Amino acid sequence: TEEQKNLKKNAIPIENLSELSDKIYDEISNFEILMIGEMHGTTETAEFAYGLCNLITKSEKKVVLAMEIRASLMSNLSNEMSISELKELDFFRRKNFDGRNGVAWLDLVYKSIQNERIILKFIDNSYTSSTRDSSMYMEIRNIHNTYPNTKIVTLTGNVHNSFIPLFDKERIGGYLLKDSVNFDSKKIMSINHTFSEGTMLNSDLTGLKLRTIERKENIYNTTLSHEMFLCRKFRKEQNKYTHILYTDKVSASEIIKQDDRE
C-alpha cells in the first residue's frame, strides 16, 4: 500500500532512545516547536524527550524542555540536586496520581539538570482562569518569546499535542497553529507515540492501575523489522500529528520509592 511504501521510505531507525542519530536531527532541524505526546505512566517517551534535547544541544546552543508539571510543585528545583533531593520536591513526593510523577519523569528531570544547555520549564495550568490547554499554549508562547531562535521540546499527554480538537476542546497543537503572529505552522512538529505491546501505569475513572497491552499486528510491526523508529505521518493523516515515534514495546514507569534515599 501507499502507507507501507511511505513507512519504508521515511522511517528513521532508532537504536537507543536517549542517544539519537544525526538522521533524526536532520528530520527535526527545521522545526521550532517539537511536541511529544505520551500515554502517562510509560517510560519510552521520557527517554525520547531527553534524547531529543540532548541531540539538539550537540548542534545548537540551547534547547527548552517544557513538561506538563505545575511550576509551583517544582519551585525549589536546582541544578545541583541529587535523585534523592529531587524526590523531596512536591511533585515527586505526592502520591502517584496519573503516572506522570513516576520514575521515568524523575529520571528525565535528573538527566536534564545535568546538561547545562537544557533549559527546564514547567507549563501545567499556570493561568488558572484558562483551560489547561490554553494555559499551556500561553506558557509555550511566553517561552518562545523569551528564548527566540531556541527549539522547544514539550512532553505532555497525547491529547494535548493534537492539532485538532479532541473531546470537544481545542488542544495545545490547535492553539499554536492558529497563532500565526508568534509561530510558523510549518515549524511545529507533533509526535504521537505508537506501540504494539507492553505495560503502562496510569489512571482511569477508578484510579491508578497497571495495564497490560496485548500484542496485535499492525502496519508498523508487519511492514518494518525495526524495533523503534521515527517517521513522518502519511500526508493525509497529518491533521492530528505530523510524526509517530514507534517502539515495539512500551514499559510502565515505576512508582517512586521514597524510602530508598541515599
Side-chain angles (χ1 to χ4, degrees):
T1 66
E2 282 298 313
E3 193 166 16
Q4 287 173 311
K5 290 177 185 175
N6 177 67
L7 264 178
K8 288 184 176 181
K9 180 181 178 183
N10 294 310
I12 306 169
I14 294 172
E15 295 294 326
N16 184 329
L17 290 167
S18 296
E19 298 177 16
L20 301 171
S21 69
D22 290 341
K23 286 185 177 180
I24 298 287
Y25 184 77
D26 292 342
E27 180 66 23
I28 63 100
S29 61
N30 290 328
F31 292 94
E32 294 177 343
I33 311 294
L34 301 94
M35 299 183 291
I36 304 169
E38 71 163 20
M39 288 295 291
H40 289 324
T42 59
T43 299
E44 287 70 19
T45 40
E47 290 180 358
F48 181 71
Y50 175 75
L52 208 51
C53 289
N54 193 42
L55 179 69
I56 291 166
T57 62
K58 292 176 181 177
S59 298
E60 303 180 27
K61 291 180 180 178
K62 297 282 185 182
V63 63
V64 176
L65 172 59
M67 298 174 67
E68 186 188 347
I69 298 175
R70 190 170 294 197
S72 61
L73 298 176
M74 299 290 285
S75 57
N76 295 319
L77 177 70
S78 76
N79 288 350
E80 294 78 34
M81 282 185 163
S82 66
I83 284 277
S84 293
E85 290 169 327
L86 288 177
K87 288 179 183 180
E88 298 296 330
L89 295 174
D90 288 347
F91 179 74
F92 293 115
R93 279 186 66 87
R94 299 167 80 193
K95 183 178 179 181
N96 195 317
F97 51 95
D98 67 356
R100 276 182 289 166
N101 55 333
V103 169
W105 279 32
L106 177 69
D107 287 346
L108 173 58
V109 170
Y110 180 66
K111 287 191 291 187
S112 296
I113 63 175
Q114 307 294 306
N115 187 334
E116 61 184 15
R117 292 191 175 190
I118 297 177
I119 302 164
L120 205 49
K121 295 290 182 179
F122 307 105
I123 60 172
D124 188 15
N125 216 23
S126 297
Y127 295 90
T128 52
S129 60
S130 305
T131 64
R132 285 184 70 207
D133 284 86
S134 173
S135 175
M136 287 193 278
Y137 145 72
M138 287 189 280
E139 287 282 4
I140 293 166
R141 181 194 64 195
N142 294 345
I143 292 167
H144 180 65
N145 291 332
T146 303
Y147 300 95
N149 306 312
T150 302
K151 285 183 173 51
I152 301 171
V153 175
T154 69
L155 180 60
T156 66
N158 57 14
V159 168
H160 300 297
N161 63 314
S162 173
F163 289 140
I164 62 173
L166 292 180
F167 307 111
D168 298 321
K169 290 181 181 178
E170 190 76 79
R171 299 301 172 179
I172 298 171
Y175 285 115
L176 291 172
L177 283 187
K178 291 176 179 176
D179 183 358
S180 57
V181 173
N182 292 291
F183 301 101
D184 180 346
S185 61
K186 292 177 182 169
K187 294 187 176 182
I188 301 172
M189 182 180 194
S190 183
I191 306 167
N192 188 40
H193 182 208
T194 304
F195 42 84
S196 295
E197 64 177 304
T199 57
M200 55 186 66
L201 184 69
N202 49 33
S203 61
D204 57 18
L205 295 175
T206 60
L208 195 75
K209 287 184 178 177
L210 181 68
R211 292 196 287 141
T212 300
I213 312 300
E214 299 296 338
R215 188 171 188 82
K216 291 182 181 177
E217 285 195 346
N218 55 45
I219 188 170
Y220 308 112
N221 62 30
T222 56
T223 304
L224 297 174
S225 59
H226 308 309
E227 296 236 327
M228 300 186 290
F229 59 82
L230 180 72
C231 187
R232 266 174 276 170
K233 289 208 77 174
F234 209 36
R235 191 169 297 277
K236 68 182 181 182
E237 296 178 335
Q238 289 191 350
N239 61 334
K240 194 173 179 184
Y241 308 106
T242 61
H243 290 69
I244 63 142
L245 167 68
Y246 175 80
T247 65
D248 193 59
K249 292 181 173 63
V250 64
S251 52
S253 171
E254 296 178 12
I255 290 176
I256 294 169
K257 295 182 176 68
Q258 291 291 350
D259 56 353
D260 57 352
R261 300 184 180 97
E262 295 167 2

